[in-house]
Amino acid sequence: MFGIVRPCSHRLGEGLKTQWMAHLCGLCLALRGDHGQFARVVTNYDGLLISVLTEAQAEKTTGWRRTAGPCPLRGMRTASVAQGEGARLAAAVSLVLASAKVRDHVADGDGLLARKPVALAARRVATSWGRAGARSGSAVGFDTAVLVDAVDRQIGIEALAGPGTPLLTVTEPTETATAAAFAHTAVLAGRSGNAAPLAEAGRLFGRLAHLLDAVEDRETDAASGAWNPLTATGTSLTEARRLADDALHGIRLALREAEFTDGRLAHVLLVHELGRSVDRAFGTSGCGHTADGAHGPHGSLDSPGSGRLLDVPGSALLLAPEGSFGPPPQHGGNPYTGGGNPFGGGPSFPPPAPGRRGFWAGCAAAVGLCCTCKMCCADEYEGPWSRKKREGCLSDCDCDCGCCEACQCCECCECCSCCDCGL
């Protein structure tokens, strides 16, 4: 799942996280329903913005959600997922752009694609995706030719670009493609007045996507000798950051001009999370939290003088501040190590260490973890052989999880000073 907008669930909060997952699953299922199982590999975080924007503008009806069956990526649970023209447009755009990306990698001879048999198979897949995306786009009134034309022009522009070429000349095809996709969400939602501001937001989002991809790949491209917009045009990171900040500001202004029925999720993704994506790409932080996790007058959950939150499956216990009920426990606060039982009377015992599983038992546990996707999606799981606690591959987030969820607890956070939304 590639993309530059990768929100952290701790910041989204439960309500917006549920909405975000509904659009992500809706895009995945739209790809499967229209184009088969293999097409689901092009599911990406940025593509679902099309679905989010469409629903954010539409009048609230009963036809935007459906209950999907159990899925391994959801731990074999059912879920309410997005459906309709927004999800289908997102699927069409994702297919066409994925097709272009594959063709680009084939042309560059990246990795295994340098081998002729693999490159031939990849070209066939890319052609199939391009045609499928065109059919899906036509079904919702969107002409994907603008995307294909942008990709073709991109190849020619990159071939001619050199030192002194304006970086915005290189990003223009991407800007044109994303502007067309964003603007069509207004058509699908019946909000023709939103077409112009959303086209502007899409144009600047395309610029950001191109810029951040170039920044993140700069060192890798230099090592492999691959073409990179920043290196080819001689653009410094300082100038790239200036262009990125200008694009962020333009997106915020454009979204203010659009009318939404419920634009909370779109706003959080395209204003707050997009800003964090820029900070992540450039290795900076725009958040106002202090080094010790304090947050304005409220502090964090682990700050001195505050209660500490203990996560217990199925519940949350708020413990009193240390020292509230007498001196803190000795021996590092562990009641199981020496010094007697802190609750009075009797010896203390260390917690039993989990025993290792045998080879075949571990294999069975590993299969179960893979089938339920706990290795990828769970915050924590038990190692199949060692039985040690491990973190899921996708559970890592880029925020201090002691911070407020989507900044909803107050309006003092510096990272929210970009707007007056109160989130």
Side-chain angles (χ1 to χ4, degrees):
M1 297 181 185
F2 52 92
I4 63 172
V5 182
R6 303 190 293 270
C8 169
S9 61
H10 298 90
R11 287 193 301 260
L12 285 180
E14 194 60 36
L16 293 182
K17 177 187 175 183
T18 300
Q19 289 186 42
W20 185 78
M21 286 299 300
H23 288 285
L24 183 62
C25 292
L27 170 58
C28 181
L29 293 174
L31 287 164
R32 185 200 67 179
D34 291 343
H35 311 291
Q37 290 282 1
F38 185 65
R40 300 170 83 175
V41 301
V42 308
T43 302
N44 65 95
Y45 293 138
D46 293 345
L48 68 86
L49 288 173
I50 303 296
S51 178
V52 170
L53 283 172
T54 304
E55 186 175 298
Q57 300 170 77
E59 296 297 331
K60 293 300 178 183
T61 63
T62 57
W64 291 99
R65 290 284 190 273
R66 71 178 180 88
T67 301
C71 174
L73 294 176
R74 294 191 298 267
M76 299 308 294
R77 295 187 299 269
T78 61
S80 175
V81 302
Q83 65 171 352
E85 294 182 329
R88 298 187 70 188
L89 175 61
V93 171
S94 297
L95 277 170
V96 173
L97 296 183
S99 169
K101 195 174 185 72
V102 170
R103 290 203 306 270
D104 184 53
H105 284 307
V106 170
D108 293 341
D110 295 335
L112 289 175
L113 296 177
R115 300 180 181 180
K116 289 185 178 180
V118 179
L120 179 61
R123 284 195 191 96
R124 289 180 177 175
V125 170
T127 301
S128 174
W129 282 349
R131 291 172 180 169
R135 290 195 303 270
S136 288
S138 178
V140 294
F142 181 66
D143 186 2
T144 58
V146 65
L147 306 183
V148 177
D149 175 69
V151 171
D152 292 340
R153 285 190 297 107
Q154 185 75 55
I155 297 172
I157 289 173
E158 291 182 359
L160 297 174
T165 301
L167 187 59
L168 297 188
T169 300
V170 180
T171 63
E172 181 274 325
T174 307
E175 295 177 19
T176 301
T178 50
F182 274 45
H184 197 69
T185 64
V187 177
L188 295 181
R191 298 259 191 177
S192 57
N194 284 350
L198 289 183
E200 176 66 6
R203 183 179 68 83
L204 295 173
F205 179 83
R207 178 183 300 179
L208 266 179
H210 205 132
L211 280 173
L212 299 191
D213 183 64
V215 170
E216 292 177 342
D217 293 346
R218 193 170 65 105
E219 294 182 0
T220 304
D221 289 343
S224 63
W227 194 90
N228 185 282
L230 301 181
T231 306
T233 60
T235 304
S236 66
L237 284 178
T238 302
E239 175 63 10
R241 180 61 194 252
R242 185 188 69 79
L243 292 172
D245 288 339
D246 286 349
L248 277 175
H249 184 63
I251 290 173
R252 292 164 186 157
L253 294 178
L255 290 178
R256 289 180 182 178
E257 299 297 321
E259 295 182 2
F260 297 100
T261 303
D262 182 359
R264 287 177 300 167
L265 180 59
H267 178 88
V268 167
L269 295 178
L270 287 171
V271 174
H272 298 278
E273 294 301 331
L274 194 53
R276 291 186 177 98
S277 297
V278 172
D279 289 333
R280 181 170 58 240
F282 284 92
T284 60
S285 176
C287 187
H289 297 87
T290 59
D292 62 357
H295 179 249
H298 302 279
S300 71
L301 290 173
D302 285 324
S303 60
S306 69
R308 300 186 63 195
L309 191 65
L310 175 64
D311 235 353
V312 179
S315 66
L317 302 179
L318 185 63
L319 304 185
E322 289 185 5
S324 295
F325 301 103
Q330 302 299 316
H331 312 288
N334 188 345
Y336 297 103
T337 56
N341 191 329
F343 300 105
S348 61
F349 301 95
R356 291 178 59 87
R357 290 191 179 96
F359 177 76
W360 294 111
C363 287
V367 170
L369 289 170
C370 289
C371 289
T372 58
C373 287
K374 284 190 174 182
M375 282 188 176
C376 294
C377 305
D379 290 336
E380 191 178 73
Y381 68 92
E382 191 178 76
W385 287 278
S386 67
R387 304 189 73 170
K388 293 180 179 178
K389 297 297 183 183
R390 304 185 184 280
E391 291 184 355
C393 301
L394 301 180
S395 66
D396 188 27
C397 62
D398 64 349
C399 76
D400 175 7
C401 296
C403 68
C404 51
E405 295 187 351
C407 302
Q408 291 175 346
C409 63
C410 61
E411 299 180 10
C412 62
C413 185
E414 182 180 313
C415 60
C416 301
S417 62
C418 61
C419 59
D420 299 321
C421 65
L423 290 176

